[in-house]
Amino acid sequence: MSEPPGPDRTAILQALDRVIDPKSGKGLTSAGLVRGLVLRGGRAAFMLEVAPADIDLYRPVRDKAEGVLAEIDGVELAQVVLTTELQAPSTPQLRVSPRRAPAAGAEAPRPRARVAEDPQAQLHPMVDAVKPPHVKRVIAVASGKGGVGKSTVSVNLAAALARLGKRVGLLDADIYGPSAPTMLGIDGDPTFDEEKRLNPMEAHGIKVMSIGFIVEPGTANIWRGPMASSALRTLLNSNWGSEAEPLDVLVIDLPPGTGDIQLTLVQKLKMDGVVIVSTPQEIALIDARRAAAMFDRTGAPILGVVENMAYFVDSSGVRAPIFGTGGAKAEAERLGVPLLAEIPIEVALREACDLGKPLVAQTTESAAAQAFLALAGKVGG
């Protein structure tokens, strides 16, 4: 039996264009204010992104847009998220290093291009950062390089914390490549509470929020930095807990690198600590240093380093350090933080992630599961 046809995108955009933008006098669609329109089944949703000073002005616009969406054929659930845009950073300026006088008989050195420091973009401790309401502890899991297994660590750390009896949340902050829905086996659409906050999905004792629940499946998120940062703020402000049942720990799975998403996080969110994930080889450690340096400059404490893919145990029980050995331990010593865990390569760990069933949620017997449980005991508070 085929599914009934969903809402028509053209009809929705035409209808939203009849809702007038109070600033430009144009319809919302013509004014470019219909951001990230998502049509999934009977659900129609988009983000209305405005300047921070205009939030109150656009609240009735948000309500009217939701009413228009709800009246369109095929729309069973209409959602409009009103959020604020970030001020775009100033453009970095290239400068040329001044020439130095050459030594007698030496060839004059060539001038070298440098990127001038932008005073507005310099990192410093964020004194106005706060935690989401009813969240006791916030732990970010970061890496400077993709492919080191950071999401695997994040998901299994959250599952291990849940096994230890904690109320746990997981925020998948990788706006461009969300993986939590697959790794936790969650499908569906999140709802909104009475305050227009997203209600996280739940699986394996974990409250989970990801952009993967909101965008259309298989759709690439081709968003500029401010749009991605706005999406992250919306996810971060989800309904994580209540006064009666606060969240003990919120684990944040960051995307790799040190770009807009990470900067938005450290500007807006007060963190209790950061776990840096790396593999043993030097190329991964170089990028891990960059991530650690960024968090250190913003005052976020580095809790320690996790070495993922530390070794593989062959059929004879011998450890094979496929990606080298000792690199993460040496890096932890250089940073002055502990080596929190060495996670081995296990087929069962990979299979569990692919099946949407975290290894720690299924067993505590394997070496990898034991390592995740030990990690949870060290960082869970």
Side-chain angles (χ1 to χ4, degrees):
M1 182 177 178
S2 61
E3 294 185 0
D8 179 73
R9 180 177 292 270
T10 301
I12 283 177
L13 292 174
Q14 290 175 347
L16 290 174
D17 215 28
R18 295 194 290 271
V19 180
I20 301 302
D21 170 23
K23 299 277 285 190
S24 68
K26 300 178 181 179
L28 292 185
T29 303
S30 299
L33 292 176
V34 180
R35 303 287 190 90
L37 178 61
V38 176
L39 305 176
R40 296 181 61 174
R43 175 172 172 264
F46 72 93
M47 282 194 285
L48 179 60
E49 186 182 40
V50 301
D54 293 333
I55 280 287
D56 290 336
L57 176 65
Y58 279 87
R59 291 189 197 280
V61 178
R62 184 267 316 278
D63 295 340
K64 186 174 181 179
E66 280 192 345
V68 167
L69 283 179
E71 293 175 358
I72 296 174
D73 289 342
V75 175
E76 299 173 3
L77 177 63
Q79 298 170 332
V80 179
V81 178
L82 178 60
T83 186
T84 61
E85 62 189 6
L86 282 178
Q87 181 179 1
S90 57
T91 304
Q93 300 296 317
L94 285 175
R95 63 177 173 82
V96 177
S97 300
R99 293 178 180 269
R100 295 180 181 176
E107 182 180 352
R110 295 180 180 180
R112 301 182 65 188
R114 290 285 188 270
V115 177
E117 288 284 348
D118 179 2
Q120 296 183 28
Q122 289 182 358
L123 297 177
H124 54 82
M126 302 296 176
V127 296
D128 58 343
V130 296
K131 294 179 185 177
H134 310 303
V135 174
K136 296 180 180 179
R137 186 169 175 81
V138 177
I139 303 296
V141 180
S143 70
K145 175 179 170 57
V148 299
K150 174 186 49 54
S151 293
T152 298
V153 171
S154 299
V155 167
N156 280 278
L157 171 59
L161 288 165
R163 264 203 179 263
L164 296 179
K166 303 283 188 181
R167 292 194 185 101
V168 185
L170 174 67
L171 172 59
D172 181 359
D174 195 340
I175 301 299
Y176 299 106
S179 55
T182 298
M183 288 187 165
L184 288 163
I186 308 174
D187 188 22
D189 299 322
T191 60
F192 283 77
D193 67 5
E194 63 278 1
E195 298 178 24
K196 298 294 183 180
R197 297 179 303 171
L198 287 162
N199 292 314
M201 310 288 280
E202 294 195 35
H204 310 288
I206 306 167
K207 291 186 175 182
V208 187
M209 183 48 65
S210 169
I211 198 70
F213 299 142
I214 300 173
V215 299
E216 297 181 56
T219 302
N221 297 342
I222 307 173
W223 292 346
R224 294 185 185 274
M227 183 62 179
S229 297
S230 177
L232 175 60
R233 293 197 303 277
T234 299
L235 300 181
L236 187 58
N237 292 328
S238 297
N239 177 23
W240 293 108
S242 65
E243 186 174 354
E245 294 186 347
L247 204 66
D248 292 315
V249 186
L250 176 61
V251 177
I252 302 184
D253 179 17
L254 285 174
T258 54
D260 285 336
I261 300 300
Q262 292 83 352
L263 293 176
T264 295
L265 186 77
V266 297
Q267 287 174 331
K268 299 296 181 182
L269 182 64
K270 184 177 181 181
M271 291 178 288
D272 293 278
V274 181
V275 174
I276 303 294
V277 179
S278 182
T279 49
Q281 70 266 46
E282 180 62 23
I283 190 64
L285 292 168
I286 290 172
D287 291 321
R289 286 171 205 143
R290 295 192 183 103
M294 182 193 74
F295 287 107
D296 182 62
R297 289 174 65 184
T298 58
I302 307 296
L303 298 179
V305 177
V306 170
E307 184 176 80
N308 194 34
M309 309 181 203
Y311 58 87
F312 176 77
V313 179
D314 64 22
S315 57
S316 64
V318 175
R319 290 189 179 188
I322 296 174
F323 296 111
T325 183
K329 182 178 181 180
E331 188 62 25
E333 292 175 353
R334 191 191 73 81
L335 294 171
V337 297
L339 178 65
L340 295 170
E342 293 176 292
I343 312 296
I345 299 171
E346 290 184 359
V347 174
L349 177 57
R350 190 271 304 166
E351 290 177 340
C353 291
D354 289 345
L355 293 172
K357 300 177 181 179
L359 179 67
V360 186
Q362 300 181 73
T363 180
T364 61
E365 299 302 319
S366 74
Q370 288 291 318
F372 284 124
L373 287 167
L375 172 63
K378 293 174 183 177
V379 304

